Amino acid sequence: MPARVKAPPPREVKGRRWGPRAAQKGMGSEQVPGTEPSPAAAPHFLQSMREWGGGQASWVPAPLAVGGGARPPCPGGSPRPFGFSQAEVKPEPRLGAGLAPARTGLACAFTPLSPAPRLAFGRERTGSPSRRRRARDGARGPGSRPSLSAPQTAMLPRGCPRALGAAALLLLLLLGFLLFGGDLECARRAWGGAGSFLCALAPRIPQDGRPRGAAALDRDPPTDPGGHNRSDCVLPRPLPPRCELLHVAIVCAGHHTSRDVVTLVKSLLFYRKNPLHLHLVADAVARNILETLFHTWMLPAVRVSFYDADEPQPQVSWIPNKHYSGLYGLMKLVLPGALPPDLARVIVLDTDVTFASDIAELWALFAHFSAPSCPPLPDEQVIGLVENQSDWYLGNLWRNHKPWPALGRGFNTGVILLWLDRLRQAGWEQMWKLTATQELLTLSATSLADQDIFNAVIKGHPALVQPLPCVWNVQLSDHTLAERCYLEAADIKAIHWNSPKKLRVKNKHVEFFRNLYLTFLEHDGNLLRRELFGCPSPRPPEAEQLQQALAQLNEEDACFEFRQQQLTVHRVHITFLPHEPPPPRPHDVTLVAQLSMDRLQMLEALCRHWPGPMSLALYLTDAEAQQFLRFVEASEVLSARQDVAYHVVYREGPLYPINQIRNVALAQALTPYVFLSDIDFLPAYSLYDYLRASIEQLELGSRRKAALVVPAFETLHYQFSFPTSKAELLALLDAGSVYTFRYHEWPRGHAPTDYARWREAQAPYRVQWAVDYEPYVVVPRDCPRYDPRFVGFGWNKVAHIMELDAQEYEFLVLPEAFTIHLPHTPSLDISRFRSSTTYRGCLQALKDEFLQDLSRHYGAAALKYLTALQQPEAP
Amino acid sequence: MPARVKAPPPREVKGRRWGPRAAQKGMGSEQVPGTEPSPAAAPHFLQSMREWGGGQASWVPAPLAVGGGARPPCPGGSPRPFGFSQAEVKPEPRLGAGLAPARTGLACAFTPLSPAPRLAFGRERTGSPSRRRRARDGARGPGSRPSLSAPQTAMLPRGCPRALGAAALLLLLLLGFLLFGGDLECARRAWGGAGSFLCALAPRIPQDGRPRGAAALDRDPPTDPGGHNRSDCVLPRPLPPRCELLHVAIVCAGHHTSRDVVTLVKSLLFYRKNPLHLHLVADAVARNILETLFHTWMLPAVRVSFYDADEPQPQVSWIPNKHYSGLYGLMKLVLPGALPPDLARVIVLDTDVTFASDIAELWALFAHFSAPSCPPLPDEQVIGLVENQSDWYLGNLWRNHKPWPALGRGFNTGVILLWLDRLRQAGWEQMWKLTATQELLTLSATSLADQDIFNAVIKGHPALVQPLPCVWNVQLSDHTLAERCYLEAADIKAIHWNSPKKLRVKNKHVEFFRNLYLTFLEHDGNLLRRELFGCPSPRPPEAEQLQQALAQLNEEDACFEFRQQQLTVHRVHITFLPHEPPPPRPHDVTLVAQLSMDRLQMLEALCRHWPGPMSLALYLTDAEAQQFLRFVEASEVLSARQDVAYHVVYREGPLYPINQIRNVALAQALTPYVFLSDIDFLPAYSLYDYLRASIEQLELGSRRKAALVVPAFETLHYQFSFPTSKAELLALLDAGSVYTFRYHEWPRGHAPTDYARWREAQAPYRVQWAVDYEPYVVVPRDCPRYDPRFVGFGWNKVAHIMELDAQEYEFLVLPEAFTIHLPHTPSLDISRFRSSTTYRGCLQALKDEFLQDLSRHYGAAALKYLTALQQPEAP
């Protein structure tokens, strides 16, 4: 079930370029000498909490909080209490019917008996510290005496036999509380089959006022609720209702970050079992790349929305920022305004995060945010964050290190649970702008972008934050203390490469984390097209058509593989590497070609021969794409070129979809003209200039529809001194070092070019199409596409030239142009199929179908092709 | 922390060969026309259960069952009651300290107050059906009235404050029971921090006498406890104690099955968080392959033990079996005897199973087996199984289909929880042999191997079985009903390709399952070398040394990549494809070479030129290995050859470890002599015969230590008519179609062969070593290995020839032998590094070190090499 993706057709990108790593995101990096932490520097949360309304904080029973916020916060109160947007009140969109009860269904299942729906353990935050400690210790020490003080209110299932049910529920909840010191919310929605059983630890701000994460870092007894599989505390995993749509927001800009997003998304998809809605706040470059990618990825139960990152920029552009993420690094501050107003909650991720667990478990932690109260408090919990896992904010990393203010070690903003509508209600925009303005009076700039400002706001409003278990953001910065978290946890949920060194960061366990990252970096993204069984989602029309077409194929058909390959939609990652679009010039030409791994060696030579723009499509696996990346980075010649656009078409299926790949390269060419070449040809050194001059002279754009023919030659020698002029070429030809292309094996492919005439020609001359003619030509960018039915090898270029002729392109041979084919090992795809009779039979069928389509399309004008082809055929 | 692997050095395999898929395992396959199920045909479990001791079945409270069986079953009773082996009484081995309490710790925490430790809900199995129904309905319908009948006994923590603790525990347990109708065992080990909280559904045999799985298949309300993330019943996942060692047994035989085992193990490793002990019951072929693989894989916290599958064969060989798994298919019956007597519990897996979840969750289901009773009953639960997900055992699939007897749909044995010592105690061997003998009086043979016999035994002794949730064995047989399971479950735990068609099985959702399978098939196994943070395990000495050596490398060193690559231990999968070892012949020669993906095209031609045995090592990624497999399967020439052994060396690191790969191929050659060739050479058609004749004539084995030189030539033409004799070759040489090898670029590499003399030679002649000599030679199999320090390109063969010379091998040129190099594109690795000055500098450093080692080893005799090399060096 491919996802519904908002994807307009790929378009030209002529705007801003983000240089290597310039726009790389990944908050909270610290490139500083490390010192040991000073635990004394951690302030007390509790005090701040009381100041900011902790005394009024109220708890509703856990069952109501489960799944979060889809019921009116004030039972019997005003229908639209402030602090709740429309989106929060109405049930969130769900894909599929499922068995899940709508959250609103809970309202009828549970009705408070008392007008003040507070359970005894709701007072954890308001009760005396000693009482709280006692309760908590009850879950830890054998000597505890859990108090049986009765709850002051009770809730009962309506319409159920109350006598026993109520007592049972109450006792269970009470015992859960006693045993776990208030940390365990055991919610039961079982009656009538309409409920769910959820047990979850809510990390609360403990008595010492420091977040749990901090406790873990300072070697307190581990309290991580996420770490299952532990002897001391094997706890069930909390999960949101089945099929609940989860929202994820990511800010991304530039080519590098776009690649990072793909790896992050792969790790999300690998573990997810819920429908996802990705909200991508992207610049033009990232949007162009990711729209194409998601459109072609056709992921079931994944929706993608794009938001223009440049639009809200003025809101943060006044903030001086020293962090490498630049302006986009600050963008997370404006998400409540930038994302749709009816989006109530969202998980915000840095692009350098990798998941090792189902994100639904993280989403479920929203259920632990303090519930809205009546009347609403100014500081409800609105932001879920993991503690920063370094001593940066303690301010003692080096002399004169003056970090932004933070609570203790502060929080890291690589992974955020953002309760958007509460934030909007709380006046978030005003709040952070005020804080930032105040701090910037004494601090010159942010060092860690948005993270500094988030921390400064939280320092002033500590009750806003819900601390999350450390395993949800294991930070691999240069001087990380994360080890204290993950060595105990055994179940790491998400890692965060928040060092500017990324995978090269020094760390005792970096191999482990690298392996986890590489798992997804190199994971075949096609395999993530798995549907969600439990959550049916409607398919977009194109995916539906595709499925139907695939279903109609007959597996017994000898050409089944061909048919299937033709229908395959390949994932496409355009401009995989940084690319600067060429400036608009009326006669400019882009060299267009496609290749796979076994032709990478050609790239450097090609760059030397063609100084102009190129659009190259590479047919690769995800793992090969990484090899390709390293190859380019290791090459001075290649990494110096910003005018070569590399587009990755991901491998799928047994046959080489040569024309589909060519079409990707062709579609991404940004100049008015294209030179349709093949990767194993090197053009004459002067060809780029000569072509532009010829286009201008021939007035192609206005005067006529023409295909300029570049005569093709070949050499059989690996060591070959490339001719620098037509005269040198002719000398080599006479010497037998160079032949006209395929002179020995397939002369008719280029015979119509009329090499004899070319020897003498001084001016362009027109030639006529003939059967099997397949010259290399220069045509306007809007020329016909290659016919994608030709997969594997054979007739793929011949059919294209035939179509040009059918559309009445003139073939004009250029007298000074030439290109030379270099020898290479026959590709695996060729050798695998060349000898197969089935293959040849299928190719014939494809040809016949192509000719039928040609007749249908061009009518009588196409007759000449049928006639010509009825003559005896060459192999 | 690489695992401790019992791995002797690779040895010759001369025994039985398992043809393509002949020994492929995977129980329970059914290749039959499907009909709709007849629910009426399902018999009632309960009745059988009563007959077989259901009335005496007893329950101990769940806390005691958690973690399973490590405390004496009879408190205060006899110290060694029957039904418990030593291994069960002593705590299981644990890797690492962890925080987990030893299971024996529970014995002191809980002491029964009453001499008859039975809780009220222990009577689920003995109580009246109506009562049980009521209890169960309590968890489902709003109209239920859970009975509060008090427990008749109680257990209390000793040494803890009893007054409240006991009541709390009791109420919690009771409520859990009431709410979940006896399905939920909520066990709490919280006092003193020494406990764990586990909530788990124990699938019990319900009132209608049919296992839960059956209910799921027949569209009863879903009761799957494994399926989390469900609205109707979100249940916590049960997990065994942290760092508990999990035991897995797999029967495997032959080449294909060995590959399948790797995919299965990868899926296990991907999700696991516990140490694993793999017990592989293997034939000689599988053992040879898998010992090498695991030895080189160096997996942290994985122990592997091998058991000879041929030894217990006579115990099952009397059973006629029609299933494609053959004799090995029956082997699961004898596991209690074949596995070590102190192994108490094990998960048994078919090789065609793929995990999609942490196997620890499956292991945790042992906790739900009925606890041992005092006195022991004849039929304690000993086998955990998932229901068979087809109508096979209902016997109505086609006319005259007479399946073996089974309870209802029966059980599938692709995934088994086997409580070994209880089985041994229960007289398992006698039991199944008796049953099989009886059934074979009327049935001619087993159709589904061991599964038929397991089912027949269970039909007679239904209380033996603990039904497991259907998601732990989603069966993808031809006429599977599995959809009824997984469409509801949303969380599939393990899939089972139990159709003989395997991935080609017809199934609406087969794409989903294929993707899951391909995920692991193509997953880079190197990435699974991740350590377990929570569970430290001691490293074997070689892994420890490796770690230390790697730690000593300086990342700033310009040659760091070289050093690291040299130290890399590559995973090796020998005889990746079916291979028949050559019969022992005293003068036989194996062609030895290595290649990567870009040279696959050479294989067919090589097979035509060399009719003898070959040992070829391929440097591939896991994904490429699958491409290679398809390539061979698609080639008639290649798939016809059983005397070509292909060994996969898995890619890791940036440099090509050419000599390590060559050494793998060399070590696996099984003939007395080897022809050390390169993949881009084609030998003279007659070379194989000529070499054997020459070896015999020259009496190499006894008379002298010699390296027979095969003169090397090259052609630059792809289309090349290979000379069939020395005369033809000389004609081509004179015509300039063929040159002596590297005549233009590097003549000194082969100049000492003395081509001028060879032209005229009628008999073998001796030549002297000279600098940079690198001929292709035939040597005894026990010749020196290639020096693995030479990674990348350069000096790798030169050094080997120098070592042969240092060991006083004579170089004898054979007058009629020749081999010809074919042209090819320069490999990516060459072109990447050839131009790099760093690369050349590092290569020089390697050379110097090699020469130092040579001097150290051969003393004065090595002086000549130093002297010779001091002359001006060629590039």
Side-chain angles (χ1 to χ4, degrees), chain A residues 86-98:
Chain A
Q86 185 58 40
E88 196 60 58
V89 175
K90 76 178 179 217
E92 289 217 352
R94 266 162 212 252
L95 300 183

Side-chain angles (χ1 to χ4, degrees), chain A residues 164 195 197 228 231 234 236 239 718, chain B residues 99-100 197 228 231 234 236 239 718:
Chain A
L164 289 170
F197 187 92
H228 86 281
S231 55
V234 177
L239 280 167
Y718 281 100
Chain B
L99 292 168
F197 187 91
H228 87 283
S231 56
V234 177
L239 280 166
Y718 280 101

Side-chain angles (χ1 to χ4, degrees), chain A residues 25-28 249 251 316 327-336 348-350 412-416 418 428 450-451 454 496:
Chain A
K25 283 193 40 311
M27 301 304 94
V251 180
V316 293
L327 210 50
Y328 293 102
L330 294 160
M331 209 63 86
K332 277 180 282 178
L333 292 165
V334 303
L335 286 179
V348 185
L349 299 175
D350 275 359
N412 183 284
T413 58
V415 174
I416 317 179
L418 220 48
W428 168 252
D450 68 300
Q451 184 169 302
F454 269 102
H496 183 188

Side-chain angles (χ1 to χ4, degrees), chain A residues 276-394:
Chain A
L276 293 179
H277 189 160
L278 303 179
H279 301 267
L280 303 182
V281 182
D283 73 343
V285 167
R287 180 173 184 151
N288 193 27
I289 294 169
L290 294 172
E291 270 186 348
T292 310
L293 181 77
F294 282 108
H295 184 65
T296 52
W297 204 343
M298 293 186 154
L299 288 162
V302 175
R303 206 184 297 177
V304 186
S305 302
F306 287 91
Y307 309 88
D308 185 355
D310 296 328
E311 200 230 311
Q313 258 197 28
Q315 293 183 57
V316 293
S317 55
W318 56 276
I319 306 169
N321 177 22
K322 290 187 282 192
H323 191 259
Y324 63 83
S325 59
L327 210 50
Y328 293 102
L330 294 160
M331 209 63 86
K332 277 180 282 178
L333 292 165
V334 303
L335 286 179
L339 296 177
D342 62 348
L343 183 63
R345 292 173 296 157
V346 72
I347 294 175
V348 185
L349 299 175
D350 275 359
T351 57
D352 49 4
V353 166
T354 310
F355 272 74
S357 189
D358 186 353
I359 193 172
E361 294 176 40
L362 179 60
W363 183 265
L365 299 180
F366 270 122
H368 302 297
F369 279 50
S370 60
S373 53
C374 297
L377 297 168
D379 280 354
E380 290 171 337
Q381 288 184 327
V382 291
I383 308 174
L385 288 169
V386 172
E387 193 188 22
N388 201 40
Q389 292 166 0
S390 86
D391 285 348
W392 174 278
Y393 286 110
L394 298 183

Side-chain angles (χ1 to χ4, degrees), chain A residues 10-71:
Chain A
R11 56 207 157 57
E12 279 188 51
V13 181
K14 290 209 175 100
R16 168 188 298 104
R17 185 184 68 81
W18 302 100
R21 291 281 155 188
Q24 176 76 24
K25 283 193 40 311
M27 301 304 94
S29 73
E30 296 140 24
Q31 202 170 10
V32 293
T35 57
E36 272 312 296
S38 153
H44 277 239
F45 264 42
L46 194 67
Q47 197 184 342
S48 321
M49 224 179 58
R50 284 195 187 127
E51 286 166 25
W52 287 94
Q56 292 178 65
S58 148
W59 273 84
V60 291
L64 290 183
V66 169
R71 89 225 98 69

